[in-house]
Amino acid sequence: MTHARTLPIRLAPHPGEALDSWWEAIAHRLGTTTGDVLASIGLLPRSPSKPVSSGVLGRLVTLLGTDQAAAIAWSAGATETEVHAMTLARYDGRAHVVDPQRRRVAARHVWGRPRGSHYCPACLAENSGRWLLRWRLGWSFACLDHHILLVDTCPRCSRMPRHFPATTRHPITPGRCHSPSEKDTPPARCGQPFEEVPALTLAAQGSVIAAQKLIEEAISRGRADFGVYQDHPQPSLALFGDLRALACILLRRSLTPTGWRASSPRRSWRCTSSPYRTSGGPSTRRGDPSGTPGPAAGRDRRPRRQRGPAHPRAGRCPPGRSRPSPPDQRRRRHHPAQGRAPVGPHQPGIRRDPPRDAGSPAQTQ
């Protein structure tokens, strides 16, 4: 960490704002780049020509050290408590688990994508493009203020926002997509205004809003004491583990007759591939007379010796080739000192030795 100095213009963080959104708003207010702001705070070295690794910025948003939080608070005019509250460590032990050594969220507690952020277009339009921290949680799917379903992709570049950290070498505009765009020539940043993205409106008294309220309440309190947990309250991490298991069961059952989900075949492969049997539906193996043409229903992950015959000729040798000999006979054939197995006309799997001359040493012995 380099030497820090106070910023000439200070900007108060928005309630519930993420740390990277805050320093982007400060950079936009100062008319400079985020790299200059982070270098002034002391979080990055003063080398604007050298690109910054995305892992460095991701670790800063996940967990801050004591010295880093103190430098940010001294330079930007915020308290250390406010600075720590803008990182994902705020939800450590309640919505996920943060690895303090690697400074990243443990993958086993993540539901959905480990990187990126959802967003509410109405919220971004009201707060001048300030991103909330709770949008990064996999369990955040609805906005309780505007009663709309959170959006997870950019309609122009089809990428999830915040999946790639914003550039630190060029000025950026809050509230616009910073993902690399392949539609522009030459390639540039997408620049899609997020406040113009349409979103699905939800019923204020509907089940989706009610479920989001229960989840946010469990995260804020750190425990679940409603429904089946009323008599025996459980930690919020146990609640999310149960929800994750229940969601996987529902995803397996919400399949088309061919065993694939029509919406996302790539995700359905991960959810429908059972470790010991294929998913429901007719068999579609090649050569199966009872199957119907189409994509495979799922891969059979059982050991080969436990699988049933998938073809009428399963277990037979191809035409023109003989069945391999048993292990004991194969061992004796390759090791003549242990004795040679008798060869008869009814053992086609044993290869006969070539005839020897009468005067050879082997014949005389």
Side-chain angles (χ1 to χ4, degrees):
M1 187 173 64
T2 60
H3 178 69
R5 64 184 182 88
T6 58
L7 299 177
I9 300 178
R10 298 183 176 183
L11 190 63
H14 187 79
E17 187 178 9
L19 182 61
D20 55 349
S21 174
W22 182 47
W23 70 49
E24 290 173 6
I26 294 176
H28 181 71
R29 180 67 178 83
L30 294 174
T32 182
T33 64
T34 56
D36 293 338
V37 173
L38 296 177
S40 301
I41 295 176
L43 298 179
L44 293 180
R46 296 182 180 276
S47 55
S49 60
K50 184 179 180 181
V52 180
S53 173
S54 60
V56 175
L57 301 180
R59 288 190 292 269
L60 291 176
V61 180
T62 302
L63 180 64
L64 288 174
T66 305
D67 297 339
Q68 293 174 334
I72 296 175
W74 182 79
S75 300
T79 63
E80 296 187 21
T81 303
E82 293 177 343
V83 173
H84 283 294
M86 289 187 286
T87 63
L88 291 175
R90 173 181 180 178
Y91 300 105
D92 184 23
R94 293 182 296 171
H96 51 229
V97 175
V98 176
D99 188 353
Q101 301 297 330
R102 305 176 65 182
R103 297 175 65 180
R104 64 175 58 180
V105 178
R108 66 180 183 275
H109 296 285
V110 176
W111 173 255
R113 302 177 182 178
R115 294 190 300 176
S117 174
H118 304 84
Y119 64 95
C120 173
C123 291
L124 293 176
E126 290 180 357
N127 55 25
S128 302
R130 312 288 283 270
W131 289 72
L132 302 184
L133 181 65
R134 66 172 180 266
W135 291 344
R136 297 177 184 265
L137 302 178
W139 302 106
S140 181
F141 49 84
C143 178
L144 300 181
D145 298 331
H146 302 94
H147 302 140
I148 62 176
L149 190 68
L150 297 183
V151 187
D152 59 352
T153 55
C154 172
R156 187 173 186 271
C157 64
S158 302
R159 297 180 185 271
M160 189 173 192
R162 304 285 168 171
H163 184 81
F164 300 97
T167 176
T168 58
R169 295 182 293 175
H170 304 283
I172 58 176
T173 303
R176 293 180 178 269
C177 182
H178 306 148
S179 300
S181 177
E182 299 178 355
K183 299 180 180 180
D184 298 333
T185 304
R189 298 288 169 173
C190 177
Q192 168 67 34
F194 287 121
E195 61 268 14
E196 300 177 359
V197 177
L200 179 63
T201 304
L202 302 173
Q205 305 298 329
S207 57
V208 178
I209 297 296
Q212 185 66 78
K213 289 181 179 179
L214 288 176
I215 288 177
E216 291 197 1
E217 182 181 357
I219 292 176
S220 61
R221 300 175 60 182
R223 70 177 186 275
D225 53 1
F226 57 87
V228 296
Y229 307 100
Q230 186 173 3
D231 296 335
H232 303 281
Q234 297 294 325
S236 56
L237 288 180
L239 165 66
F240 295 138
D242 296 341
L243 290 178
R244 186 164 47 245
L246 180 61
C248 290
I249 295 175
L250 295 178
L251 288 176
R252 290 194 185 101
R253 294 185 178 182
S254 61
L255 300 175
T256 60
T258 56
W260 290 77
R261 284 175 52 193
S263 59
S264 178
R266 193 169 185 177
R267 294 183 186 177
S268 65
W269 176 267
R270 300 178 183 177
C271 295
T272 60
S273 57
S274 176
Y276 288 106
R277 65 180 180 88
T278 57
S279 51
S283 174
T284 55
R285 287 178 174 266
R286 183 184 301 176
D288 190 354
S290 62
T292 57
R299 182 169 52 184
D300 194 348
R301 299 181 181 272
R302 292 179 297 174
R304 185 175 297 275
R305 62 179 179 273
Q306 297 181 8
R307 303 179 189 177
H311 191 273
R313 295 183 59 87
R316 300 183 183 180
C317 296
R321 299 181 61 182
S322 60
R323 186 186 303 273
S325 57
D328 56 339
Q329 297 182 3
R330 190 183 304 116
R331 176 175 55 83
R332 293 178 182 178
R333 184 176 70 242
H334 292 290
H335 300 276
Q338 299 180 6
R340 181 175 301 172
V343 179
H346 301 288
Q347 294 181 345
I350 305 301
R351 186 178 59 186
R352 295 177 179 271
D353 294 335
R356 303 177 184 271
D357 298 336
S360 61
Q363 186 72 16
T364 56
Q365 292 179 1

